[in-house]
Amino acid sequence: MSDTQHLYLVDGSSYIFRAYHRLPPLTDPEGTPVGAVYGYTTMLWKLAEDLDKAEGPTHLAVILDKDSKSFRNEIYDQYKANRPPAPEDLVPQFPLIRDATRAFSLPCIEEAGLEADDLIASYARAAAKQGWDVTIVSSDKDLMQLVSKGGDGVGEIDMLDTMKNQRISIPEVEEKFGVGPELVGDVLALMGDSVDNIPGIFGIGPKTATKLIQEHGSLTAALDAAEGMKASKLKERLIEHRADAEISRVLVTLKEDATLPQPLEEFKLDGVPPEPLAAFLEKHGFTSLLRRLDAGAGSPSKTNDLNPAKQDNKSEAHAPTGNRQELPEWPDVDRDAYECVQSMERLEHWVARAMAARVVAVDTETSSLDAISADLVGVSLALGPNDACYIPLAHGGSDMFAEKPDQVPLEDAVAALKPLLESDAVLKVGQNIKYDLNVLARHGIHVAPIDDTMVISFALDAGRGTDGIGGGHGMDELAERHLGHTCLSFKEVCGTGKKAIPFGEVPLDKATQYAAEDADVTWRLWKMLKPRLPVEGGTRIYERADRPLIPVVAGMEREGIKVDRAALSRLSEEFATRTSAIEGEIHAIAGEEFTIGSPKQLGDILFDKLGYKGGRKGKSGQYSTDQAILERLAGEGAPIANKVLEYRQLSKLKSTYTDALQDAINARTGRVHTSYSLVGAQTGRLSSTDPNLQNIPIRTEIGREIRKAFVPEDGNVLLAADYSQIELRLAAYMADVPQLKEAFANGEDIHARTAQEMFGSVDRDTRARAKTVNFAILYGISRWGLGGRLGIEADEAQAIIDTYFQRFPGIQNYIHETLENVRERGYSETLFGRKTWFPRINSKNQAERQGSERAAINAPIQGTSADIIKRAMTRMLPALAEAGLPRVRMLLQVHDELVFELPTSDVDAASPVIERVMAEAAQPAVMLDVPLGVEIGTGTSWDAAH
DNA sequence: AAGGTCACG
DNA sequence: GACGTACGTGACCTTG
């Protein structure tokens, strides 16, 4: 059988569209866009490499569409009528496809009045008929009709999707359509195709189409059976739109007997002559391929092992990574140089020196990690390299110490330190100084002015170091990066796990080494980082947004919020009862007891024991059992799926919220105090931990029960103020989209307006789809993602995206320009100058690069929104005080929402102030031409305030 | 410690 | 040449 001929038919037209959308917008030395051509060239190269292999081609031809009209337009004038025009930078690439094909010395077939699909069908059948095997290089679903097994002197026809590197034979077709290739046309005729504008039957998608054909065996049978069906929407549609289905059946039928413009024999492959190929590669600057051609002595088919792109996956292109500077001429950290301050006299000496120095690095040591409940154990100060001290204040008390060490009494020390820490003339520098602010506030010290090395690092380098806790701005990490110094770790000093001791039990010599080192390192970091701010454009965001926010957020953390413990406790009990009942039901259905909370065990029960369909996923080879999968199973009539979903929901609510929040109530204040991280999110958003109060349930009825437990003190109410659609408003401004700006100015429903622009009409369906598309845009879109969300094919999603860009060209420009900028400079920027770095934006790893691109599209929008609410927060309490409303307390921030607690009698006066401060927060630095809408609600719970 | 899942904007 | 599919978070559970 070794002399079997194998014909490859390359569907060039569909390939170039796919290549266009998945490759970066490359241009050749002359400025012609060539991204898609490059993709096409590498694909041909790969095919040519397979020439000598068993499965490889003996004959090959590229088939192209000649023009946009075909005989199908005569049958149905709307055929492909709503297809948007090809993107501007794709058009000049069409002729280059022919050039590329010729460069490989391959035949290129096209014929007026026929689509590439028809030529492919005719060639495939002709070749198979004379016993050749045929591989169609395409992933077009219409072509799947041709897949066949062969035998009896007839060759086999399969398909090859080079992008997914997947062979498509009969099983793959059956998997996709639920029927064999001979019935694919019937399914397609029912479901239609919005890209080609094949009508199908309105309201019937792939699922229903497959089901009908499976049940009835053919399209005609299914249509005939409609009369006998029980009354339903489906029945009506089948009857009413029968003609649509019939014309669709004709349109999807491939013409298999077209006259062949060139005989099959002429497609014989004889290697690839290098000269024309080299000339082509050179002309368009495809240098890596050119190198491979040179190295491979002529033919790509002999250069299998060379793949330069693969070898340096790690190189991160040219995005600046410079985090390191020349080290100043400082002595190395010397932990034995630090002083342990144990007398009032020495303390006063240090305070006097610090006053004179004008800058002091400060660090506090405490009994626990939680700033609100922690007790002060000691304070360290640093005035220069190795010029640092530790002032122990509450060490001893256990048998670690033979007797309590000499220490300045806490109150005396506080009195001595207070003038220094509150002096306008002395800058206090800390690493995460918000923590120290909160600790010291409990002792009546209101530290100011301040600088924070962690926040400075964030303003300079957000996104640069993606690994490590604290987003790469923790002290140990900064010390390593900027000073080449390894700090004494907390673990080394206090131990870990059960053997851990509180800092107050650490002997003074060791405590001094650790604590004073922190202050010393903080001082050095400040000396290195602070001067970079003006040089690297970080001053604006640090001085105007982040630094002033530190004491504000510290205040919010100290305020905390009251939660109704009894209400949470009741909910916990209710959830416990219900989960255990559901657990029993699930075990009954499964026929055995297992741990429902274990995705592994659950997956084995669902897919192995109970035999539901659903593939493996991920590297672990474990079944996925997430919400989307379970909802699908539930829709297919698996009773266990809904039970598991309910079980999951309730146990999540119980463990993460009703149980955990009770434990989070502070014994001293009776309230819950979250901790906000100012450097938690690369985009500039805050994040909230211990507990996270930025993800309290709201989307479901049962979840909102938890929100009801967040309450005001007697005589007060909670007030929630939300920015409405702030990110879309910012996108409308930043991308300059007149229709969206106008809609916001008029207070219109923005998703409805988008639906009108996109689909020409507004109903529930189009509005929902428009909303999804709007969000997709903000998040950096991909047609697979959008397709998944909308439940449509990726190519249909692509058509929607194209329409969106056509209607709102500003958005496309914004995305293009943002990415160009990020690729060139390495970072994105918000309207207020916040930078986020994307070191992988030019990565050769496509997944990595595309991930960075999506994040980079989103970062300026999400980040600008974060900047705005930060500005509002900083101005809020002074504005309220000025309005005579000092009793309004700002408690929480949830990205686009602020939560306040205030006397009921203050609501009327406070609401307009809050509204105004938020709405005007961008000004005067940025004058938006879109209004910022703010919605305010009040109530006796956080839920009621919405 | 990692992976899976799910709560929020 | 292959990879995974919407951005940004944090907490909890199970398992290795």
Side-chain angles (χ1 to χ4, degrees), chain A residues 603-852:
Chain A
D604 291 342
I605 293 282
L606 287 175
F607 300 111
D608 288 338
K609 182 158 185 194
L610 299 180
Y612 292 113
K613 281 198 275 180
R616 285 174 190 277
K617 171 176 140 178
K619 300 144 212 153
S620 60
Q622 205 179 303
Y623 291 115
S624 171
T625 65
D626 67 16
Q627 210 166 356
I629 301 274
L630 291 174
E631 277 166 5
R632 179 175 64 75
L633 289 181
E636 290 166 9
I640 193 172
N642 274 326
K643 303 271 180 216
V644 173
L645 282 167
E646 196 181 352
Y647 176 89
R648 284 236 182 103
Q649 183 187 30
L650 293 172
S651 53
K652 170 99 181 175
L653 294 178
K654 182 172 186 293
S655 66
T656 307
Y657 300 104
T658 56
D659 288 352
L661 282 173
Q662 292 184 64
D663 295 339
I665 296 172
N666 185 292
R668 182 168 57 84
T669 65
R671 293 164 74 97
V672 174
H673 305 262
T674 184
S675 170
Y676 289 103
S677 170
L678 301 177
V679 301
Q682 319 260 318
T683 52
R685 275 191 177 177
L686 305 186
S687 70
S688 160
T689 60
D690 306 309
N692 182 353
L693 294 186
Q694 289 181 322
N695 72 346
I696 301 302
I698 191 170
R699 293 173 187 171
T700 64
E701 192 60 48
I702 180 89
R704 277 203 296 277
E705 290 298 314
I706 291 160
R707 247 171 216 249
K708 291 180 183 163
F710 287 76
V711 292
E713 303 285 350
D714 287 344
N716 286 255
V717 291
L718 292 180
L719 182 153
D722 286 66
Y723 281 113
S724 134
Q725 308 285 5
I726 186 168
E727 293 194 3
L728 266 178
R729 288 171 194 258
L730 292 172
Y733 169 74
M734 292 163 77
D736 192 23
V737 184
Q739 303 100 308
L740 297 183
K741 289 199 290 194
E742 182 191 303
F744 280 126
N746 296 338
E748 288 173 40
D749 174 338
I750 196 64
H751 300 306
R753 174 65 180 256
T754 309
Q756 181 66 44
E757 296 283 340
M758 293 277 301
F759 308 114
S761 68
V762 186
D763 55 40
R764 247 176 58 186
D765 175 59
T766 54
R767 186 186 180 279
R769 293 205 297 166
K771 183 175 176 183
T772 301
V773 178
N774 275 331
F775 279 108
I777 296 294
L778 297 181
Y779 295 151
I781 198 162
S782 93
R783 55 213 151 110
W784 293 276
L786 183 63
R789 293 276 167 142
L790 290 176
I792 59 178
E793 292 296 317
D795 47 2
E796 295 175 57
Q798 185 60 51
I800 291 181
I801 295 167
D802 292 342
T803 309
Y804 195 94
F805 286 157
Q806 210 181 339
R807 298 298 300 162
F808 308 130
I811 297 277
Q812 193 171 25
N813 282 339
Y814 163 81
I815 291 173
H816 184 73
E817 279 168 26
T818 302
L819 288 178
E820 285 287 289
N821 260 321
V822 176
R823 285 187 194 112
E824 203 170 297
R825 305 188 301 194
Y827 59 86
S828 70
E829 218 170 350
T830 65
L831 290 183
F832 298 88
R834 179 186 307 282
K835 291 178 179 178
T836 303
W837 291 87
F838 293 92
R840 299 178 192 291
I841 195 75
N842 290 311
S843 167
K844 295 197 168 125
N845 177 323
Q846 182 175 269
E848 216 169 55
R849 185 179 67 245
Q850 291 180 337
S852 291

Side-chain angles (χ1 to χ4, degrees), chain A residues 23 117 175 196 412 620 622 742 751 869:
Chain A
L23 285 159
D117 287 359
E175 190 184 331
D196 289 348
D412 295 355
S620 60
Q622 205 179 303
E742 182 191 303
H751 300 306
I869 197 166

Side-chain angles (χ1 to χ4, degrees), chain A residues 49 120 125 164 192 210 246 275 325 403 412 519 536 585 656 706 723 730 738 805 828 844 901 920:
Chain A
E49 281 182 347
I120 289 170
R125 291 293 188 216
K164 292 186 181 151
T210 296
E246 283 167 344
E275 291 80 15
Q325 307 164 234
E403 54 191 56
D412 295 355
E536 298 180 26
E585 295 174 40
T656 307
I706 291 160
Y723 281 113
L730 292 172
F805 286 157
S828 70
K844 295 197 168 125
E901 181 174 5
E920 295 175 357

